[in-house]
């Protein structure tokens, strides 16, 4: 037996013995911190066991609380978790965005301070990027940070700050040199949220949920030692973090087993449209659903192949392909689901609609924004054209 075959056998046995039934398939996933409580016992047991194993961040170095897996071992773990529909024990901005960024750009002290707390699910994070006047043109940001002694004093506003209402820390882009060209003079800071200078106000969405916020800074404080990278060179750090966000690595780890509704599309189609010998009865719908399923599987395999061809970490500008295609694929799924349900597809009457129907329409509304947030798909096409295909301006 080769070393990788032995690792697969050991991993399969460990998952079978340690992943509780309630941590398989759709369900809650911890995002770290203590402000959003998870009461499901199996989810908590799973989190504790994965922390002890180091697999809340499987491919991060062991000295910071990660699993220290090679890229080949990481791919095997993903495969084995998907095989039993195991959810990740920990997800969110900590593992998918700021953790990899600190590992790449942070000092040794910053790594030892922040990374173990992320892997142990002790803190939750939010992102301070977009502003009312700086969305897709993020380099136009105007939130200011001035150096005063051993800290920065921050004033301004960020918007669309997901999870800010429950976050312990924010990673934030601020302007530290207002006289420099707009892509320069920007710095990347880590900011504690529990302080008088930070005010969070929710933004209500058409889906009825409010995961987003406007966040205001009035002489908020960030320590000098929480500057990531060089002063006035935060644009480089900030762009790399966006590649971590757009890579879809977290979705890949979750797989279809992590709670994605898309795995049930053929069953939903048969339920809504009827069956013909176990197949979707309507041939046009059968072809449409089959095409979507092939595209979805091809997308996931492409993500996995990219991980295998990289060092097991986040690839570069190619991540824009994942953001572009993945967001459109999500929208297609909910379009198909609502259409096949006919008149009940957009039913939100609490007296007649089932919980599943109401949740689907909320998600349909939510993912209308999927091609806008994390960098609009128009921006992603520009990045792909310039950085991936090498086309002229």
């Amino acid at each position: 037996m080769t070393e990788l075959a032995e690792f697969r056998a050991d991993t399969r046995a460990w998952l079978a013995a340690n992943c509780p039934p309630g941590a398989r398939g759709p369900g809650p996933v911890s995002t770290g911190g203590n402000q959003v409580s998870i009461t499901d016992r199996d989810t908590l047991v799973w989190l504790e066991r994965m922390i002890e194993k180091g697999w809340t961040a499987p491919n991060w170095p062991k000295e910071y609380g990660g699993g220290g897996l090679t890229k080949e071992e990481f791919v095997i773990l993903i495969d084995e978790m998907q095989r039993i529909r195991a959810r990740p024990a920990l997800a969110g901005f900590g593992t998918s965005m700021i953790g990899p960024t600190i590992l790449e750009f942070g000092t040794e002290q910053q790594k030892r301070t922040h990374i173990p707390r992320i892997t142990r699910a002790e803190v939750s994070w939010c992102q301070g990027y977009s502003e009312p006047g700086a969305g897709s043109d993020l380099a136009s940001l105007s939130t200011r940070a001035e150096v005063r002694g051993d800290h920065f004093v921050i004033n301004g506003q960020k918007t669309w700050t997901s999870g800010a209402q429950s976050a312990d820390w924010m990673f934030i882009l601020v302007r530290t040199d207002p006289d420099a060209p707009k892509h320069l003079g920007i710095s990347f800071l880590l900011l504690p949220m529990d302080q008088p200078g930070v005010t969070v106000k929710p933004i209500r969405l058409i889906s009825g949920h409010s995961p987003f916020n406007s966040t205001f800074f009035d002489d908020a404080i960030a320590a000098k030692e929480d500057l990531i990278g060089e002063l006035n060179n935060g644009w480089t750090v900030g762009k790399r973090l966006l590649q971590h966000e757009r890579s879809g690595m977290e979705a890949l780890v979750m797989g279809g087993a992590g709670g994605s509704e898309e795995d049930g599309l053929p069953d939903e189609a048969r339920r809504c449209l009827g069956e013909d010998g176990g197949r979707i009865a309507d041939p046009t719908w059968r072809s449409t659903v089959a095409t979507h399923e092939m595209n979805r599987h091809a997308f996931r395999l492409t993500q996995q192949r990219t991980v295998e061809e990289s060092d097991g970490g986040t690839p570069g500008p190619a991540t824009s392909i994942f953001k572009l295609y993945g967001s459109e694929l999500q929208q297609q799924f909910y379009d198909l689901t609502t259409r096949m349900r006919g008149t009940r597809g957009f039913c939100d009457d609490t007296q007649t609609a089932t919980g599943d129907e109401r949740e689907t329409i909320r998600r349909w509304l939510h993912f209308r924004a999927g091609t806008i947030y994390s960098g609009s798909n128009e921006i992603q096409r520009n990045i792909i054209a310039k950085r991936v295909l090498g086309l002229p301006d």
Side-chain angles (χ1 to χ4, degrees):
M1 180 180 290
T2 66
E3 288 186 6
L4 287 179
E6 185 176 351
F7 175 79
R8 181 180 292 275
D10 291 344
T11 298
R12 181 172 296 187
W14 189 89
L15 290 172
N18 288 277
C19 183
R24 306 183 189 201
V29 176
S30 172
T31 55
N34 299 312
Q35 297 190 50
V36 177
S37 60
I38 294 179
T39 57
D40 181 75
R41 183 179 180 280
D42 279 1
T43 300
L44 294 173
V45 168
W46 181 227
L47 177 62
E48 291 170 1
R49 291 174 179 173
M50 289 286 271
I51 290 173
E52 184 178 359
K53 187 74 170 174
W55 284 358
T56 52
N59 56 339
W60 291 6
K62 284 187 175 182
E63 59 263 40
Y64 307 124
L69 300 187
T70 65
K71 67 177 181 181
E72 293 85 3
E73 292 169 339
F74 182 44
V75 169
I76 288 172
L77 174 60
I78 292 172
D79 187 43
E80 289 301 317
M81 288 180 65
Q82 291 180 352
R83 189 184 66 83
I84 64 169
R85 295 176 55 81
R87 298 193 299 275
L90 180 65
F93 292 160
T95 53
S96 67
M97 297 169 66
I98 188 59
T101 304
I102 293 175
L103 285 171
E104 188 169 347
F105 292 96
T107 64
E108 184 62 25
Q109 183 57 44
Q110 289 169 340
K111 294 173 186 177
R112 294 197 178 278
T113 298
H114 294 286
I115 299 301
R117 299 187 69 199
I118 293 174
T119 62
R120 296 194 299 261
E122 293 176 353
V123 293
S124 60
W125 290 80
C126 63
Q127 179 182 27
Y129 271 33
S130 295
E131 299 181 3
S136 293
D137 184 19
L138 181 58
S140 295
L141 64 90
S142 60
T143 295
R144 294 277 300 274
E146 299 178 9
V147 177
R148 296 185 191 173
D150 62 353
H151 58 269
F152 293 90
V153 178
I154 302 170
N155 286 280
Q157 178 186 353
K158 296 292 181 178
T159 192
W160 307 117
T161 45
S162 304
Q165 74 278 8
S166 59
D168 302 297
W169 285 78
M170 171 185 284
F171 48 91
I172 182 172
L173 286 176
V174 293
R175 190 161 298 283
T176 44
D177 185 353
D179 298 322
K182 70 177 188 177
H183 286 86
L184 303 176
I186 292 173
S187 297
F188 190 107
L189 301 176
L190 308 181
L191 170 77
M193 294 291 284
D194 185 15
Q195 58 172 296
V198 177
T199 303
V200 178
K201 295 183 178 180
I203 299 173
R204 184 173 175 82
L205 305 182
I206 59 173
S207 64
H209 291 180
S210 184
F212 300 113
N213 304 274
S214 287
T215 306
F216 301 88
F217 307 96
D218 299 291
D219 289 341
I221 301 299
K224 260 189 176 180
E225 58 263 30
D226 284 326
L227 169 70
I228 304 296
E230 299 176 357
L231 184 69
N232 298 325
N233 197 30
W235 186 247
T236 298
V237 182
K239 285 194 302 180
R240 181 56 175 159
L241 181 139
L242 288 176
Q243 290 175 351
H244 293 304
E245 179 183 20
R246 294 165 181 165
S247 70
M249 287 285 286
E250 186 165 290
L252 179 60
V253 173
M254 292 182 77
S260 171
E261 292 176 307
E262 294 189 41
D263 280 343
L265 184 60
D267 289 338
E268 179 69 7
R270 284 190 288 268
R271 186 184 70 81
C272 293
L273 305 169
E275 294 188 60
D276 178 14
R279 304 184 304 174
I280 299 169
D282 185 283
T284 302
W285 268 107
R286 189 163 62 239
S287 175
T288 300
V289 171
T291 299
H292 178 84
E293 286 292 286
M294 288 188 291
N295 290 340
R296 184 173 68 88
H297 284 290
F299 178 59
R300 189 162 292 153
L301 288 171
T302 301
Q303 287 179 296
Q304 185 164 329
R305 175 174 55 81
T306 303
V307 173
E308 293 172 348
E309 292 175 351
S310 71
D311 59 359
T314 300
T319 56
S320 290
I321 299 173
F322 298 151
K323 166 59 173 66
L324 172 70
Y325 192 74
S327 59
E328 292 180 350
L329 205 59
Q330 282 179 323
Q331 290 181 347
Q332 290 168 14
F333 167 72
Y334 287 105
D335 283 341
L336 290 176
T337 304
T338 51
R339 283 168 49 205
M340 72 173 61
R341 289 180 178 176
T343 57
R344 301 194 66 82
F346 296 94
C347 179
D348 198 26
D349 186 338
T350 56
Q351 299 299 317
T352 59
T354 66
D356 179 62
E357 289 169 341
R358 289 195 297 273
E359 182 60 25
T360 296
I361 187 58
R362 280 195 290 266
R363 287 175 176 267
W364 181 87
L365 290 166
H366 173 80
F367 284 113
R368 292 299 90 195
T371 50
I372 301 174
Y373 60 61
S374 301
S376 70
N377 279 18
E378 289 75 17
I379 295 293
Q380 305 313 315
R381 286 185 170 89
N382 284 338
I383 295 172
I384 294 166
K386 293 179 181 179
R387 304 294 175 84
V388 178
L389 300 178
L391 300 179
D393 291 338

